[in-house]
Amino acid sequence: MELTVLVSRIAFGGDGIGRLPDGKVCFVPGALPGETVRAGIVRDAKSFARAELLEVLEASPERREPDCPLAGTCPGCVYRHASYDCELEWKNRQFTDFLTRGNPAAGDIRFLPPLGAPSRNGYRNKLTFVCENGAFCYRGLDNKTAIPVDDCPLGRPAIRELLAAAAPGADGQKRTFRWTLHDGALDSGSDAWRRTAHLTEQLGAFGDFRVPKASFFQVNIATASALAERVLALLKETGAEQLLELYCGSGVFSILAAEHIPGLTARAVELDRAAIDAANHNAAHHGVAKRCTFLAADAGEAFRRLAASCDPAKCCVLVDPPRTGLPASLTREIGEFGPEAVLYVSCGPDTLRRDADRLAEHGFRIQSAGMIDMFPATGHFESVTLFGRCAS
């Protein structure tokens, strides 16, 4: 069935949203607000429909010709057809909607200006592919379909050059390409990769950080520097003298906090033991080893142990969990501990809102929040949210 749809907004994830003649919400990937499109219904559920974009009848002035031949096929870059101003505006709207819709305390939130990325292309310092049928591939939305990739404009130029010269491996093999200013571009299928244990990431003016080659680090260094600046600024606002960080990775936030806030002490936990070893090295490298303590453990299991050595009235709990957010039990323990503030770095606004509601049950309310576009052209973004305790 084909219908004409007037698109009014963009959903989290990048789909255009309009309404069918009967008023049902319809998601149309590739459509922009203000556009009238011809769409073919591919799923008609009880409360919504999904449609395929067949033709743009009236185009938005924000529409652009995609600069990647895989646009519309690869599920990664969902904003290639839109201007960057449009992308940034709608990502910020999505973020604010997550935190305000149905929130009785929404009027008290101070929303910080969204932080855009310096470049939409050439920013990723890490690309991972799966090898299928003699090609490097991304997976489709079904997580099964293999999409051959000759080039990816998101990657750093050196990664793209290495990818062009690399030979795919056996079917099912995963291949990772990483780049740092210090180490250059590396291919996980190479001897150079196998000889390398650690990479050295440079976080702008904040200096160098050692990272195990298989451990997490932000993929967009320029925007990661802006994220670190915002985290530091909000942490300073809390006046905290103690920092308790969960999911600390290689220790960047705790180390920067100790380095830039006189007298502050940090305790941090991360499950990845190799990352904790790197964190201890990084703390010594930055001259704050005496004020930073790192523990290799599960965050939920270690929280009470770490909290026992902190004064809630002087403590800020900083969390940077995976996209799945915080386990309910850990959110409850943080609430019961009752720190002066909670600083939440999130790459999943839906789970952030869920955890915000759980923290509200323990008397915490959002004070400040801001979106950072860590992943331009894609449907994802990062955010930083500061929670404070309500006066009793």
Side-chain angles (χ1 to χ4, degrees):
M1 179 173 60
E2 296 182 7
L3 293 170
T4 299
V5 180
L6 175 62
V7 179
S8 59
R9 55 197 176 98
I10 302 178
F12 175 58
D15 290 351
I17 301 180
R19 288 192 179 273
L20 301 181
D22 63 1
K24 183 182 292 184
V25 170
C26 183
F27 295 90
V28 188
L32 296 176
E35 293 187 331
T36 301
V37 302
R38 184 169 63 88
I41 304 299
V42 296
R43 182 185 178 191
D44 193 3
K46 184 176 181 180
S47 59
F48 70 94
R50 294 193 65 83
E52 176 187 8
L53 176 63
L54 301 176
E55 183 183 4
V56 178
L57 302 175
E58 295 183 24
S60 163
E62 301 299 329
R63 179 167 286 277
R64 300 290 185 269
E65 187 66 27
D67 56 355
C68 177
L70 292 180
T73 301
C74 174
C77 292
V78 297
Y79 285 100
R80 287 277 173 207
H81 59 292
S83 71
Y84 187 58
D85 285 345
C86 176
E87 175 185 351
L88 191 64
E89 175 189 352
W90 280 97
K91 283 182 172 179
N92 193 51
R93 287 196 191 191
Q94 293 156 16
F95 176 63
T96 56
D97 284 349
F98 269 112
L99 295 190
T100 57
R101 190 170 299 167
N103 181 358
D108 296 329
I109 301 175
R110 175 182 61 140
F111 281 102
L112 305 172
L115 298 178
S119 176
R120 209 179 200 182
N121 289 328
Y123 66 85
R124 283 194 67 101
N125 59 23
K126 178 181 179 181
L127 293 177
T128 299
F129 303 92
V130 63
C131 300
E132 294 285 349
N133 299 318
F136 292 110
C137 301
Y138 284 144
R139 291 296 188 194
L141 283 173
D142 60 4
N143 206 31
K144 296 179 181 179
T145 303
I147 302 170
V149 179
D150 295 324
D151 185 22
C152 179
L154 295 183
R156 285 276 184 170
I159 286 180
R160 297 171 69 181
E161 292 176 10
L162 193 59
L163 173 64
D171 283 3
Q173 181 189 56
K174 284 190 175 181
R175 286 280 283 279
T176 295
F177 295 81
R178 286 196 69 165
W179 174 91
T180 74
L181 183 64
H182 179 271
D183 304 286
L186 291 171
D187 171 4
S188 66
S190 68
D191 290 337
W193 176 274
R194 286 185 281 272
R195 291 193 301 267
T196 302
H198 297 88
L199 303 176
T200 300
E201 296 279 6
Q202 185 178 48
L203 196 59
F206 294 120
D208 294 344
F209 292 86
R210 175 185 287 184
V211 182
K213 65 182 181 183
S215 295
F216 169 81
F217 201 82
Q218 293 289 2
V219 298
N220 188 338
I221 294 300
T223 314
S225 298
L227 169 65
E229 289 175 1
R230 180 158 280 182
V231 167
L232 276 177
L234 290 174
L235 183 56
K236 289 176 181 178
E237 285 185 15
T238 70
E241 299 174 19
Q242 301 170 351
L243 179 66
L244 201 169
E245 183 183 1
L246 311 179
Y247 311 97
C248 72
S250 296
V252 172
F253 290 140
S254 285
I255 290 167
L256 293 182
E259 195 173 14
H260 292 269
I261 302 177
L264 180 139
T265 57
R267 295 168 178 83
V269 61
E270 165 63 47
L271 186 60
D272 182 352
R273 183 171 294 277
I276 287 297
D277 290 341
N280 282 311
H281 168 88
N282 292 331
H285 176 69
H286 284 256
V288 292
K290 292 183 179 179
R291 291 194 284 124
C292 292
T293 301
F294 295 102
L295 176 66
D298 177 80
E301 295 174 0
F303 178 77
R304 287 188 182 180
R305 192 182 349 162
L306 291 172
S309 59
C310 296
D311 179 352
K314 299 178 180 179
C315 182
C316 175
V317 174
L318 169 60
V319 299
D320 185 4
R323 193 163 288 153
T324 50
L326 297 173
S329 58
L330 180 55
T331 313
R332 182 179 64 253
E333 288 188 0
I334 293 172
E336 291 173 352
F337 172 58
E340 187 63 24
V342 176
L343 193 53
Y344 196 131
V345 179
S346 169
C347 58
D350 50 348
T351 53
L352 167 65
R353 173 56 193 269
R354 179 202 67 199
D355 294 344
D357 290 342
R358 290 173 177 172
L359 287 170
E361 296 174 2
H362 296 275
F364 286 90
R365 294 292 184 270
I366 299 173
Q367 294 180 342
S368 303
M371 188 276 288
I372 298 106
D373 192 15
M374 188 74 70
F375 317 103
T378 80
H380 304 290
F381 52 81
E382 203 92 0
S383 65
V384 183
T385 302
L386 176 63
F387 296 82
R389 288 191 297 175
C390 298
S392 56

